[in-house]
Amino acid sequence: MNRREFLKFGSAGLAGLTLGGTGGALVSVRRARADDDNQLPASPPTTPFVQELPIAPLHLPVAPFTTRCSTSSAPLFYNVHIQERPHSFHPQLPDNLIWGYNGITPGPTFHALIGQPNVVRFFNDPPANHTGFGVPNTVVHRHGGFQASEDDGFPIDFFTPGSFRDFCWPNVTAGNDPREAEATLWYHDHLVDFTGPNVYKGLAGFFLMFDDVDSGDETDPNPAALRLPSGPFDIPLVFQDRAFDRNGQLVFNTFEHDGFLGDKFLVNGAIQPFLRVARRKYRFRFLDGSNARFYEFFLSSGQSFTQIGSDDKLLPHPVVRKSIRIAPAERVDLVIDFSQYALNQTVFLQNRLKQTDGRGQGGLVSGSGTPILQFMVDRDAPDPSQVPANLRELPPILLDKVGAKRTFEFDTGDDGWVINDRFFDPNRPVAFPRLGVPEIWTLINKGGEWSHPIHIHLESFQILSRNGKPPAPFEAGQKDTVALGPDETVKLYIQFRTFRGRYVFHCHNLEHEDMAMMARFDTT
Ligand code: C2O
Ligand code: CU
Ligand code: CU
């Protein structure tokens, strides 16, 4: 029984999947959509900016082990245990049991070097008797990663509690082209029909990649090195929204198919934390790790952000932006320079985007919005870093080489969300792109008021046009996820290389994805 059948017919036997209250009811998407009393009561109050921003630990390799992975050069080996562990979202809330990679959320951060493969053994170790939402089968997807089909986390390739699976991440660039070097990836659960609850329960982490150019060393003497802020001044930030019941326990509504929204804002797993910063430049890797929420970030001081990357890759040139709009699964790599502030000054990162349900974002609020992160400028520090005018050259767009044009329409169906009128069928590819042949894909949002952040696995793409116009500079680089607003059309250029097999593309509003807005394509 798949998720849509389960929701339609109900099942007391699967009560563990649901939040109390609505379990077993005959629920169709249509009804749930019309029914706005699906709204949860407000979470308990919490005092903002009383806890320090957590920064996930760097994940360290282990001794080599026997693996099914075959790699061209000597890999680094890692173990990751998927575990249920207590987690504190806020000192005024009781600990909650979350699911985390190594028991923490976000999971440990990987630093990888291009050219050095990783073999990562994920052990699925959830408790035998887990209760509440979440399904303890799992499959791991490294989002933005260039990897073989069997290592990509195809949604039905899950492994069960008590077992493990090795993921072979080659860390090569597409086409062996250094212009295709990746920077900011993330890894997360991709279980068919249940990615939403599993990611909400904590299964997400960062995977950062470096090479000679983006070397992660701001003092690198190599003239090719960009010398972007590095080490303790390169901080990944995942933004998520969560809801809590009156006892301070995390809640999730399995029947909210529009997209689940919480009323508490987390950065790196903590509700409204603060970060002490020095008067110098910092690199931040923003990730919208929320199931369905869009954000638009501003600094309370009015200062601009210098964007250096979009999704998995660096931009060709930095782009200065007053605000940063980000959709579920998108990443924005950026630099903030705190050198202009006085000691002991505080600056807030504010979300000013209105969003009242999972359909998508509204406009900007009139005031200063919700402060999500507080920067406390508290010291001086040397700053050998720079933001060069040239970052990473874009690979060329070869329109005369295009071998296929495809159109995909994203729309609402009777019991879920559809692509070209079909629900996800893991056994039915909708396209057979040929390796090495560029294609043009036209993505059309037919669904009126809805927004759909669309993500394509295996290769990133370049946007040719949005609604017939050339893309803005901040989305004119390479991307792996593109937000389709109401009635929007995006044309993109994409080319698949090296790996033959089955992959998916889908809406990254996780509730839409779980309600079947996904399609399989096979590279041939
Ligand atoms: Cu981030 Cu197919 O997912
Ligand atoms: Cu992906
Ligand atoms: Cu969607």
Side-chain angles (χ1 to χ4, degrees), residues 31-257:
R31 217 205 78 200
R33 208 179 282 156
D35 177 9
D36 271 359
D37 358 294
N38 251 347
Q39 293 288 336
L40 294 161
S43 301
T46 48
T47 311
F49 317 121
V50 295
Q51 58 179 335
E52 197 147 14
L53 174 81
I55 297 174
L58 195 63
H59 200 35
L60 299 176
V62 296
F65 48 77
T66 311
T67 173
R68 69 171 181 87
C69 299
S70 61
T71 51
S72 46
S73 44
L76 288 176
F77 291 81
Y78 294 87
N79 287 326
V80 175
H81 291 267
I82 296 171
Q83 289 164 330
E84 184 174 81
R85 283 278 179 279
H87 174 84
S88 170
F89 290 98
H90 193 279
Q92 290 159 346
L93 295 178
D95 278 4
N96 265 264
L97 290 175
I98 56 93
W99 288 353
Y101 296 112
N102 280 357
I104 56 172
T105 189
T109 299
F110 286 82
H111 277 196
L113 256 187
I114 289 170
Q116 179 163 51
N118 291 164
V119 173
V120 188
R121 177 162 294 178
F122 284 88
F123 295 86
N124 192 6
D125 296 339
N129 54 348
H130 108 89
T131 56
F133 62 85
V135 173
N137 293 329
T138 196
V139 59
V140 183
H141 172 57
R142 187 178 64 148
H143 180 129
F146 185 65
Q147 56 232 349
S149 167
E150 61 271 27
D151 297 308
D152 191 58
F154 194 73
I156 56 171
D157 288 352
F158 58 81
F159 50 111
T160 52
S163 66
F164 68 81
R165 186 180 163 100
D166 291 352
F167 287 82
C168 330
W169 290 333
N171 300 335
V172 293
T173 58
N176 276 319
D177 184 342
R179 294 172 295 197
E180 299 282 2
E182 296 177 314
T184 307
L185 313 185
W186 62 301
Y187 62 104
H188 62 77
D189 175 84
H190 215 303
L191 178 63
V192 64
D193 292 346
F194 295 99
T195 295
N198 284 2
V199 169
Y200 186 88
K201 201 139 181 166
L203 293 176
F206 280 97
F207 189 101
L208 308 182
M209 292 178 84
F210 300 92
D211 69 349
D212 289 350
V213 175
D214 183 10
S215 68
D217 177 2
E218 61 189 22
T219 63
D220 194 334
N222 175 357
L226 295 174
R227 293 176 33 217
L228 296 164
S230 69
F233 309 105
D234 174 3
I235 301 179
L237 299 176
V238 54
F239 299 94
Q240 294 165 315
D241 55 341
R242 294 288 183 267
F244 297 86
D245 67 15
R246 86 164 98 74
N247 302 316
Q249 292 301 312
L250 197 58
V251 286
F252 184 74
N253 182 354
T254 312
F255 295 98
E256 178 48 270
H257 314 301

Side-chain angles (χ1 to χ4, degrees), residues 313-344:
K313 292 180 179 160
L314 290 179
L315 286 167
H317 313 287
V319 179
V320 176
R321 301 178 68 187
K322 270 254 108 62
S323 67
I324 300 290
R325 171 87 59 110
I326 190 168
E330 282 189 314
R331 281 87 68 221
V332 176
D333 202 342
L334 54 81
V335 172
I336 301 175
D337 188 348
F338 295 101
S339 64
Q340 59 178 266
Y341 299 109
L343 286 180
N344 299 320

Side-chain angles (χ1 to χ4, degrees), residues 258 359 410 417 450-454 507-509 512-513 517:
D258 289 1
R359 288 175 175 86
F410 298 82
W417 280 263
W450 301 85
S451 286
H452 302 294
I454 306 303
C507 180
H508 222 293
N509 172 317
H512 298 185
E513 174 181 343
M517 193 175 248

Side-chain angles (χ1 to χ4, degrees), residues 223-510:
L226 295 174
R227 293 176 33 217
L228 296 164
S230 69
F233 309 105
D234 174 3
I235 301 179
L237 299 176
V238 54
F239 299 94
Q240 294 165 315
D241 55 341
R242 294 288 183 267
F244 297 86
D245 67 15
R246 86 164 98 74
N247 302 316
Q249 292 301 312
L250 197 58
V251 286
F252 184 74
N253 182 354
T254 312
F255 295 98
E256 178 48 270
H257 314 301
D258 289 1
F260 186 83
L261 297 180
D263 59 354
K264 291 290 178 185
F265 294 97
L266 277 55
V267 192
N268 293 351
I271 298 171
Q272 293 174 296
F274 65 83
L275 174 67
R276 297 178 200 281
V277 293
R279 292 201 286 195
R280 55 156 287 160
K281 293 190 283 306
Y282 282 72
R283 178 181 190 176
F284 294 105
R285 326 262 190 148
F286 283 22
L287 160 64
D288 182 348
S290 308
N291 285 34
R293 186 178 289 279
F294 292 66
Y295 300 82
E296 187 156 343
F297 293 115
F298 289 77
L299 290 169
S300 56
S301 58
Q303 190 190 356
S304 297
F305 306 86
T306 303
Q307 184 173 347
I308 55 171
S310 52
D311 295 341
D312 55 327
K313 292 180 179 160
L314 290 179
L315 286 167
H317 313 287
V319 179
V320 176
R321 301 178 68 187
K322 270 254 108 62
S323 67
I324 300 290
R325 171 87 59 110
I326 190 168
E330 282 189 314
R331 281 87 68 221
V332 176
D333 202 342
L334 54 81
V335 172
I336 301 175
D337 188 348
F338 295 101
S339 64
Q340 59 178 266
Y341 299 109
L343 286 180
N344 299 320
Q345 200 170 335
T346 57
V347 184
F348 294 95
L349 183 72
Q350 304 163 332
N351 174 34
R352 295 192 193 162
L353 198 58
K354 214 181 291 175
Q355 185 168 0
T356 51
D357 61 40
R359 288 175 175 86
Q361 72 284 4
L364 292 180
V365 299
S366 44
S368 53
T370 310
I372 286 190
L373 175 63
Q374 181 190 47
F375 298 107
M376 300 170 60
V377 183
D378 77 337
R379 66 194 189 279
D380 285 304
D383 188 358
S385 74
Q386 55 174 28
V387 182
N390 296 311
L391 297 165
R392 181 95 64 186
E393 200 188 321
L394 282 177
I397 292 180
L398 304 170
L399 288 180
D400 54 320
K401 296 270 176 354
V402 167
K405 294 187 178 180
R406 307 180 198 279
T407 300
F408 297 108
E409 293 183 348
F410 298 82
D411 204 352
T412 47
D414 279 353
D415 293 301
W417 280 263
V418 289
I419 302 177
N420 287 356
D421 293 323
R422 308 289 289 257
F423 292 124
F424 178 49
D425 179 347
N427 298 311
R428 181 180 153 275
V430 300
F432 296 90
R434 285 172 51 208
L435 294 179
V437 180
E439 305 199 346
I440 292 178
W441 287 21
T442 303
L443 312 180
I444 303 174
N445 185 353
K446 298 270 280 183
E449 62 200 302
W450 301 85
S451 286
H452 302 294
I454 306 303
H455 169 51
I456 305 173
H457 285 216
L458 184 58
E459 292 260 9
S460 45
F461 47 79
Q462 293 186 56
I463 297 175
L464 297 170
S465 67
R466 181 184 278 282
N467 307 322
K469 296 196 215 66
F474 61 84
E475 62 173 15
Q478 301 208 69
K479 284 181 66 59
D480 60 40
T481 305
V482 60
L484 277 186
D487 297 318
E488 288 197 310
T489 295
V490 166
K491 249 190 214 326
L492 55 87
Y493 176 90
I494 190 162
Q495 172 179 200
F496 301 99
R497 284 161 287 195
T498 310
F499 299 113
R500 205 181 300 268
R502 44 182 202 168
Y503 291 92
V504 289
F505 66 99
H506 58 88
C507 180
H508 222 293
N509 172 317
L510 296 182

